[in-house]
Amino acid sequence: MPSYAYFQKKIVPLAEARINVMTHALHYGTAIFEGIRGNWNSRQEQIFIFRLREHYERLTDGCKLLKISLPHSVDELCRITIDVVEKCGFKEDIYIRPLAYKSSEALGVRLHDLEDDFTVFAIPWGRYLDMDSARCSVSSWRRPDDNVIPPQAKMAGIYINSALTKTEAMQNGYDEGIMLSPDGHVSEGRGENIFLVEDGRLITPAIYNNILMGITRDTVITLAKNELDLETVERSIVRSELYTADECFLTGTAAHITPVSEIDNRKIGDSGIGPATAKLQKLYFDVIKGNNARYLDWCTPVYKK
Ligand code: PMP
């Protein structure tokens, strides 16, 4: 089944959405992207796009930082995305990739005096971390400080940091790397936020620990509070707490909720999926597939019935 893209103000087959080699964003990483999931509900024969608006609000904030003038409002971006996904007609889980970028065919490192454009496409995509649980290591690469490259925005260029981390972890025999902040506190995974379970509470790094404020992170905090009466503490976490936590899991649009079984060759809990992680995972999968009536506001249906 062919994919489609919104490209230069039209919906075209993905194969026709091509840019010139001189495009500014290709050279300097001057782009903001998003990763959004569309979850297939076979009983309802529907794709539900999860927290579509929140992804475009984050993209819009990132564009402010990079001085990208978006040609569309958040409402228009949502509408365009629904149209692209509908045109693709997939009947499976999908991944949606919007990109707002410096589109000038011009060299010169800067943010000003350049043209901007927006594209979005959808592809079928099931699992990302292809495992039931992840073996992690603490990365030798640190997450950049906000005064180096703001980690709050999904800027294309900052993902070199994540790529260095992932490849180091994989080539050392682990599944995923956990980065520390410049001051040595736990920050996040290559493309996931991190949570610990300690003494019946969730603990996760705070905004000042150089993290991306994940939408899945927010989903987990909300579900834990509303549905499990489980409080989340957002604070700095020292490295050694990773090794002694009762449970640990990673969250992200692509990674969903992935339990961590081991960090730096130390087993976490009894190394299977912990009880709090298991409950959250079950709730989360029901919610993202549009099977929990309380959270349907987070789920945008694509196909007209
Ligand atoms: N941190 C980083 C560095 C990421 O790239 C992602 C993926 N967007 C996340 C955390 C998780 O964010 P979200 O839950 O919004 O996908």
Side-chain angles (χ1 to χ4, degrees), residues 67-302:
K67 293 180 171 284
I68 292 176
S69 9
L70 269 173
H72 302 289
S73 66
V74 168
D75 282 338
E76 286 165 358
L77 294 168
C78 292
R79 186 69 254 161
I80 290 165
T81 303
I82 295 165
D83 290 348
V84 168
V85 173
E86 193 180 14
K87 174 89 181 162
C88 290
F90 297 124
K91 294 189 166 182
E92 59 191 300
D93 290 342
I94 58 158
Y95 187 76
I96 301 161
R97 167 52 55 85
L99 183 82
Y101 62 107
K102 294 281 174 196
S103 58
S104 290
E105 291 163 15
L107 298 182
V109 181
R110 64 181 187 278
L111 296 176
H112 62 281
D113 292 342
L114 292 164
E115 284 164 20
D116 307 311
D117 208 350
F118 171 80
T119 181
V120 55
F121 61 86
I123 51 169
W125 204 20
R127 298 186 70 178
Y128 172 71
L129 288 175
D130 193 18
M131 63 200 74
D132 294 327
S133 64
R135 293 180 56 248
C136 297
S137 59
V138 171
S139 180
S140 72
W141 299 97
R142 297 222 169 167
R143 186 84 182 141
D145 181 76
D146 196 59
N147 296 294
V148 178
I149 304 179
Q152 290 286 348
K154 284 183 74 73
M155 295 173 182
I158 200 176
Y159 277 82
I160 291 298
N161 178 241
S162 290
L164 288 165
T165 292
K166 177 67 173 179
T167 293
E168 178 189 65
M170 296 278 296
Q171 294 190 342
N172 286 339
Y174 299 94
D175 302 314
E176 190 57 287
I178 298 165
M179 287 176 277
L180 304 179
S181 59
D183 68 0
H185 290 104
V186 175
S187 185
E188 61 181 341
R190 168 261 326 217
E192 311 89 24
N193 293 111
I194 187 166
F195 284 79
L196 304 181
V197 183
E198 277 180 43
D199 303 326
R201 288 189 311 183
L202 299 181
I203 303 181
T204 195
I207 189 167
Y208 49 77
N209 298 123
N210 311 86
I211 61 169
L212 181 82
M213 296 298 275
I215 291 165
T216 320
R217 176 184 181 278
D218 180 72
T219 302
V220 164
I221 293 172
T222 307
L223 293 178
K225 179 165 177 263
N226 290 358
E227 307 297 326
L228 302 177
D229 207 14
L230 203 56
E231 180 200 355
T232 302
V233 183
E234 297 177 55
R235 65 158 168 85
S236 293
I237 296 174
V238 296
R239 176 177 182 165
S240 55
E241 286 184 87
L242 290 176
Y243 305 136
T244 56
D246 299 332
E247 299 176 40
C248 175
F249 59 87
L250 302 172
T251 66
T253 295
H256 293 312
I257 296 179
T258 300
V260 173
S261 57
E262 224 179 283
I263 304 176
D264 289 343
N265 300 306
R266 291 164 179 88
K267 294 212 181 307
I268 306 302
D270 60 10
S271 132
I273 174 164
T277 312
K279 278 186 213 153
L280 281 165
Q281 236 190 9
K282 181 170 182 319
L283 264 168
Y284 167 82
F285 280 119
D286 274 350
V287 166
I288 67 167
K289 285 194 172 286
N291 286 331
N292 186 326
R294 275 186 84 176
Y295 299 96
L296 281 181
D297 284 357
W298 281 346
C299 301
T300 303
V302 171

